[in-house]
Amino acid sequence: MPIDLKLERFQEENQEEHEFRPSAHHPSAPVHESFDISTTVDPSYVIALIRKLLPLDVKNGEKDVLGSDELDKGPKTKGLEFHAVNLSENGGEVEAMAAAQNFGEVNNTKGVDDELQHHHDKHQGVMVGEETWEECGCILWDLAASEDHAEFMVQNLILEVLLATLVVSQSSRITEISLGIIGNLACHETPRKQIASTNGLVKVIVDQLFLDDVPCLCEACRSITLCLQGGEGVVCAEALEDEQILSRILWIADNALNLQLIEKSVGLLLAALESQKEVADILLPPLMKLGLSGLLINLFASEMSILTGERTSERYAVLELILRTIEALSVIDEYSEQICLNKELFQLLNELIKLPDKIEVANSCITAAVLIANILTDATDLASDLSQDPTFLQGIFDIYPLASGDMEAQSALWSIIARLLSQVQESEMSTSNLHLFVAMFATKVDLIEDELLDHQLDDVEHESSATCGTKLNARRIALKRIFDILTQWKSLEDDKKKVCKGENYINEEDVDNLLNCCRKTWGSCTMDHS
């Protein structure tokens, strides 16, 4: 149901059922203290929803809702007694505003309160009124996506309320909604800072990783992922650094069958790698000790097995996320060797690059190419083997149009092409192999010509840039090698050129066009560049 309809229905129900009755304990706030907030939702309504989430024990002002057996197991909701009163005092203001807006104050509902009390008597110590709680919680979950609403909710103690809820909740659905609200709040900078500074909240969120409910685990991973980002990430990292917790995260990623849970757990690992350096310094050493690199490669192998069997579009996002995580690990000096020297990983990447019909998994192929470029930087000997495989080079050229607009990916692709072609000795190649390379270049004549023409002006303007200079050098080397291979083929006698026919037929006009384009664009001095 759309948010507006949910809000409208909730408000109409309360308006019809209840009349405003001022509280003797919490008189209405003076007019000069009325809310000053720009929002499409009545602030009084938001606070009324937050009050509905208070655990019943806190509403009743009980001192210890957990019992003696729980005294040393985490934050206590008795600390919320003050906050509950404070929130109720805001509720007096809510009631005054609600009266002006013809809204009934939901917490003065005798019928609902009687129902909640009956449920509490029957299941003492357990979250009560789950249906009502779920309805209010889902509305707040939606509202928390808005930064204005999120900040207002945090100002009005929703984090304290959710902390108390997570401590006492025995309902998976209530736990999921609580974590979902926190996840949406964590999307915004100010609420995210408040989450980190709310005593005990991050630890309680992390504790939810030991649940066995898939939706709860998804929301817990999402919330932690968001909390790792930004300047407060160290607080979350310190809550995660225990090996038992990190082992649980790796276990979830390795054993999950639910696609969303795989995505959320791997996304958490990616956040640990891509967040600020302090976060990586805390989490990476124990994660690597626990086998992070092996886990990621196993996950990649599993997704490749599915991809080369029966493609499932729902899994493409998971494949890309796994590759992004491996790629992030490959650029960290202390751990790049474990990635670059892994033969299984290199073979899997090779298979992905050669995969036909790459459009469906374009992003994964681009990430794979960047990863291969990183690997070839450290493992230069691998370029020699790849240079003898024209189908691999064909796959690299096939990816180039998919990386349109991605300067980093294009630089990586030119780097690979340059490294491979630098290993080729055209004068020593057999006629059949030479023909294969030329046939491949001829099919890519339009791509290469467009690349030369599109970047000719950029090269003149930006050659002083270090990044662009690296790309220019790789492109120049690659094009110089293409030029040399084409020239070698052109020098063959006609009868040797016609040795290979069929699908490898070469149109000499395409070869001439490509050679002329190289000459015109780069000039003789560039062709002499090495």
Side-chain angles (χ1 to χ4, degrees), residues 86-210:
N86 195 14
L87 195 59
S88 297
E89 289 175 349
N90 283 339
E93 186 174 2
V94 169
E95 290 167 352
M97 293 182 67
Q101 298 293 331
N102 293 319
F103 292 136
E105 180 22 70
V106 293
N107 270 332
N108 286 334
T109 307
K110 185 177 186 302
V112 175
D113 282 347
D114 288 345
E115 179 183 351
L116 295 182
Q117 186 60 49
H118 173 74
H119 197 87
H120 175 263
D121 292 341
K122 187 176 180 180
H123 303 285
Q124 189 157 2
V126 181
M127 290 297 297
V128 295
E130 185 170 337
E131 184 176 345
T132 300
W133 198 104
E134 180 177 339
E135 181 176 3
C136 297
C138 284
I139 295 172
L140 289 169
W141 191 348
D142 290 337
L143 291 175
S146 161
E147 185 171 7
D148 286 341
H149 294 144
E151 292 181 0
F152 181 74
M153 290 159 64
V154 167
Q155 292 168 9
N156 286 275
L157 307 175
I158 192 169
L159 293 178
E160 289 79 1
V161 171
L162 293 174
L163 172 59
T165 298
L166 288 171
V167 170
V168 302
S169 173
Q170 296 181 22
S171 163
S172 296
R173 179 58 175 157
I174 286 177
T175 299
E176 177 199 357
I177 295 170
S178 298
L179 292 169
I181 297 171
I182 294 171
N184 277 6
L185 293 172
C187 293
H188 315 293
E189 182 178 1
T190 300
R192 186 168 59 244
K193 290 180 179 179
Q194 193 62 38
I195 290 171
S197 63
T198 299
N199 187 33
L201 179 56
V202 173
K203 181 183 182 303
V204 169
I205 296 171
V206 169
D207 288 344
Q208 310 312 306
L209 292 171
F210 291 92

Side-chain angles (χ1 to χ4, degrees), residues 226-467:
L226 291 164
C227 289
L228 282 172
Q229 301 167 4
E232 305 74 38
V234 173
V235 174
C236 191
E238 290 173 346
L240 289 170
E241 66 179 328
D242 184 271
E243 285 195 4
Q244 183 180 7
I245 296 171
L246 296 177
S247 294
R248 173 65 175 177
I249 295 171
L250 296 178
W251 184 90
I252 292 170
D254 193 28
N255 292 276
L257 298 177
N258 180 277
L259 281 177
Q260 186 181 16
L261 183 54
I262 298 174
E263 187 175 350
K264 298 302 182 185
S265 57
V266 175
L268 194 163
L269 296 171
L270 177 59
L273 296 175
E274 291 187 335
S275 297
Q276 57 182 315
K277 185 178 183 300
E278 291 81 359
V279 171
D281 289 343
I282 292 171
L283 297 180
L284 258 183
L287 281 172
M288 295 300 291
K289 177 183 175 182
L290 293 168
L292 173 61
S293 59
L295 167 68
L296 293 172
I297 293 169
N298 288 340
L299 290 174
F300 181 26
S302 177
E303 292 303 318
M304 281 299 297
S305 176
I306 296 171
L307 184 65
T308 55
E310 182 178 352
R311 294 195 181 188
T312 307
S313 59
E314 290 80 7
R315 304 194 74 94
Y316 296 161
V318 172
L319 174 62
E320 181 189 354
L321 196 58
I322 293 169
L323 283 168
R324 284 177 54 200
T325 308
I326 298 174
E327 193 266 328
L329 190 58
S330 73
V331 298
I332 300 176
D333 293 338
E334 296 87 339
Y335 309 108
S336 61
E337 188 173 300
Q338 295 187 34
I339 297 298
C340 296
L341 299 182
N342 190 286
K343 294 182 179 179
E344 181 185 5
L345 172 62
F346 194 74
Q347 181 59 37
L348 290 168
L349 293 170
N350 196 324
E351 293 176 14
L352 182 55
I353 294 298
K354 295 179 181 178
L355 196 70
D357 303 324
K358 296 182 177 65
I359 294 179
E360 292 179 326
V361 288
N363 291 333
S364 294
C365 289
I366 293 170
T367 304
V370 173
L371 184 50
I372 287 176
N374 294 343
I375 291 174
L376 292 179
T377 301
D378 288 345
T380 55
D381 57 309
L382 295 175
S384 179
D385 294 334
L386 289 178
S387 68
Q388 305 303 315
D389 187 356
T391 57
F392 178 84
L393 193 57
Q394 175 79 43
I396 293 295
F397 273 110
D398 289 341
I399 292 173
Y400 198 90
L402 305 178
S404 176
D406 188 335
M407 297 293 289
E408 179 185 359
Q410 290 181 346
S411 295
L413 290 166
W414 279 117
S415 172
I416 295 171
I417 295 169
R419 287 181 183 278
L420 299 191
L421 294 183
S422 294
Q423 299 290 324
V424 173
Q425 299 298 322
E426 64 275 4
S427 60
E428 300 176 5
M429 292 174 68
S430 66
T431 302
S432 58
N433 279 345
L434 183 61
H435 192 96
L436 285 175
F437 275 93
V438 174
M440 176 182 58
F441 297 148
T443 62
K444 301 300 179 184
V445 62
D446 290 339
L447 183 152
I448 295 173
E449 287 180 344
D450 289 344
E451 169 66 13
L452 294 177
L453 295 173
D454 289 345
H455 291 278
Q456 184 177 11
L457 181 59
D458 292 341
D459 295 341
V460 174
E461 293 179 348
H462 302 293
E463 193 163 355
S464 59
S465 165
T467 302

Side-chain angles (χ1 to χ4, degrees), residues 3-4 7 11 37-46 49 103 139 143 149 152:
I3 299 176
D4 291 342
L7 300 178
Q11 292 170 337
I37 181 173
S38 175
T39 175
T40 57
V41 179
D42 189 340
S44 64
Y45 176 64
V46 176
L49 291 172
F103 292 136
I139 295 172
L143 291 175
H149 294 144
F152 181 74

